[in-house]
Amino acid sequence: MGFPATEATANGGGMRSLPDFLGRKSKYVRMDDVLPDEQGDGGGVRVRGAGGSSRRYVFACSAFASLNHVLLGYDVGVMSGCIIFIQKDLHITEVQQEVLVGCLSFISLLGSLAAGRTSDAVGRKWTIGLAAAVFQAGAAIMTFAPSFTVLMMGRLLAGIGIGIGIMVAPVYISEITPATLRGSYASFPEIFISLGILLGYVSNLAFAGLPDHINWRVMLAAGIIPSISIAFVLLVIPESPRWLVMQGRTVEARAVLLKVTDSEDEAKERLAEIEAAAAVTISGKYDGKTVWQELTRPSPVIRRMLITGLGIQCFQQITGIDALVYYSPTIFRDAGITTESQLLVATVAVGFFKTAFIALAIVLIDRVGRKPLLYVSTVGMTACLVVLAATLAMLAHGSVSKSAGIAVAILTVCGDVAFFSIGIGPICWVMSSEIFPLRLRSQAAALGAVMNRVTSGAVAMSFLSVCRAISVAGAFSVFAVISALSVVFVYRFVPETSGKSLEQIESLFGGGCEVELGGAEHLVHER
């Protein structure tokens, strides 16, 4: 909720405007960034500064909660190389390769749906632990699988664990993080996915020299290591204060808020906001509807939230990022790279770009805002996909030299991954975890994760077949068109949410007090 900083005053003291990333003065400040003057110098107001100790604590909790995302990233990255050696060892068909690669996304949606209920029942913290335990079991089965059938059983179990993990971490981080840091810290899961992908690529390169019946097993077994650290994480991180309030454990919630805020006054203020939101749910002001009744028969406000939340999850995957990551060796081979070592080195370069630009997104997301980064991301991806499709088509017709074509193909793949990573990659998860009200947050975020996994699986499982039908260049032409549509979606349906508390964001989609909507200059007023 914002107010014009150039006009508002309180007790004779003007509000200080917040400088944005470009050095201009913002017209708006958040009410919960303004505290009564404690210096006794005339009753003015001051904008609270971020405390070092609380920020470090929230940073650590956010990083620890994101460790499960390393598992998803590692699986995506390592499978791109593993599939080469699994095919040689188990003699699986092309269809079986597609099923093995793509099934993880579909089965993970079951984990995400289960996590919505589990995180409401036992808490966000213990759901994070459950995700790691289920993944460990699946990874162990895959490591020792003697056949394709057993390998699939392990992969399905690992997929459920990954589905649980990818849903709960963004919700947990959003619920413990102050509004001014939420965008950066809620992006941690995506950088951990990128880190996992890079580790998967490095694992491919490191163990490729082992015998074909051993190397892919060692690659898969290495994925168990990050999940073991979750046992330590559960001893360190607190439970979400919002979940504690919903369970009537207000004293515990206050204790957590004292750790993640800069002062006792701020903790009281945030606790009051959470209690007010929880009271609305508990008092039954929603006509006795269950969460799923609200989601399946939504009000206009919830419908707009669902369009934004589910839409951005869909566009994150349907623009083809998983095809680039899973099948980058196939794409580079089609461009003209032939040796396995060159293919693996090229995929490591893709992983490096993905990780580096996710890190840059974390720096920029709360300074620049969600929507500007989404524009940069979707426009940049569209341009890269157009160039990649054209390059692959020219290589197929021999109208460009092989060396030049390979260079352009590698650069455009890295560019597409970079633009994805600086915008829609992390922001998709940030927005899905912050735009829904408390009573719906975990279940709606789970629904968003399901949309993400369904589109990811559809792309991964159909990519080789589509390439065979219309060529690799044709497949990326389709992705380019869809990516262009994502630019329109961002313009039409995505508001700017940075700098607002979770309890204030609902007004961006409907009623409430005066707020700034996206980058536009118009305002939404309470009727």
Side-chain angles (χ1 to χ4, degrees), residues 48 103 127 260 274 341 490:
R48 179 168 49 243
C103 74
T127 303
V260 301
I274 296 168
S341 61
V490 170

Side-chain angles (χ1 to χ4, degrees), residues 68-78 192-194 196-198 200:
N68 273 325
H69 284 67
V70 175
L71 308 178
L72 173 60
Y74 185 85
D75 183 274
V76 170
V78 81
F192 275 74
I193 289 177
S194 299
I197 290 173
L198 181 58

Side-chain angles (χ1 to χ4, degrees), residues 38 48 58 69 111 168 170-171 181 193 203 227 231 284 293 316-317 348 372 395 397 463 486 513 519:
E38 295 177 357
R48 179 168 49 243
V58 174
H69 284 67
V168 70
V171 171
L181 300 174
I193 289 177
S203 177
S227 63
Q293 285 175 331
Q316 194 219 38
Q317 289 297 327
V348 168
L395 279 168
H397 291 90
F463 181 72
S486 72
C513 298

Side-chain angles (χ1 to χ4, degrees), residues 166 170 186 190 193 313 316 425-433 449 452:
I166 63 174
E190 189 66 25
I193 289 177
Q313 289 279 12
Q316 194 219 38
I427 292 173
C428 144
W429 298 105
V430 173
M431 296 205 73
S432 292
S433 64
N452 184 277

Side-chain angles (χ1 to χ4, degrees), residues 51-240:
S53 60
S54 64
R55 178 173 294 195
R56 286 191 295 270
Y57 183 75
V58 174
F59 178 94
C61 290
S62 301
F64 288 152
S66 303
L67 283 177
N68 273 325
H69 284 67
V70 175
L71 308 178
L72 173 60
Y74 185 85
D75 183 274
V76 170
V78 81
M79 192 55 68
S80 67
C82 273
I83 198 68
I84 299 172
F85 306 110
I86 291 172
Q87 193 278 329
K88 292 180 180 179
D89 185 25
L90 301 182
H91 308 291
I92 62 177
T93 66
E94 185 179 274
V95 173
Q96 288 175 319
Q97 291 181 54
E98 286 185 319
V99 171
L100 182 64
V101 170
C103 74
L104 184 87
S105 296
F106 285 115
I107 199 66
S108 65
L109 67 87
L110 299 178
S112 294
L113 282 174
R117 286 190 171 273
T118 303
S119 63
D120 279 344
V122 304
R124 313 329 190 196
K125 171 180 173 178
W126 293 108
T127 303
I128 291 172
L130 175 65
V134 174
F135 178 85
Q136 285 176 2
I141 292 173
M142 287 192 293
T143 299
F144 298 103
S147 65
F148 176 75
T149 301
V150 178
L151 183 65
M152 281 294 300
M153 291 172 58
R155 191 150 175 78
L156 294 178
L157 193 58
I160 292 174
I162 287 174
I164 296 171
I166 63 174
M167 174 266 150
V168 70
V171 171
Y172 173 84
I173 294 169
S174 291
E175 291 186 346
I176 68 165
T177 307
T180 53
L181 300 174
R182 190 176 62 245
S184 296
Y185 289 3
S187 300
F188 280 11
E190 189 66 25
I191 195 171
F192 275 74
I193 289 177
S194 299
L195 178 61
I197 290 173
L198 181 58
L199 291 175
Y201 288 157
V202 171
S203 177
N204 289 157
L205 198 59
F207 301 120
L210 296 174
D212 288 344
H213 67 286
I214 294 176
N215 52 14
W216 64 270
R217 299 179 188 275
V218 176
M219 294 174 190
L220 292 175
I224 300 176
I225 297 173
S227 63
I228 296 175
S229 62
I230 301 295
F232 166 76
V233 167
L234 296 178
L235 300 176
V236 175
I237 65 174
E239 183 53 83
S240 159

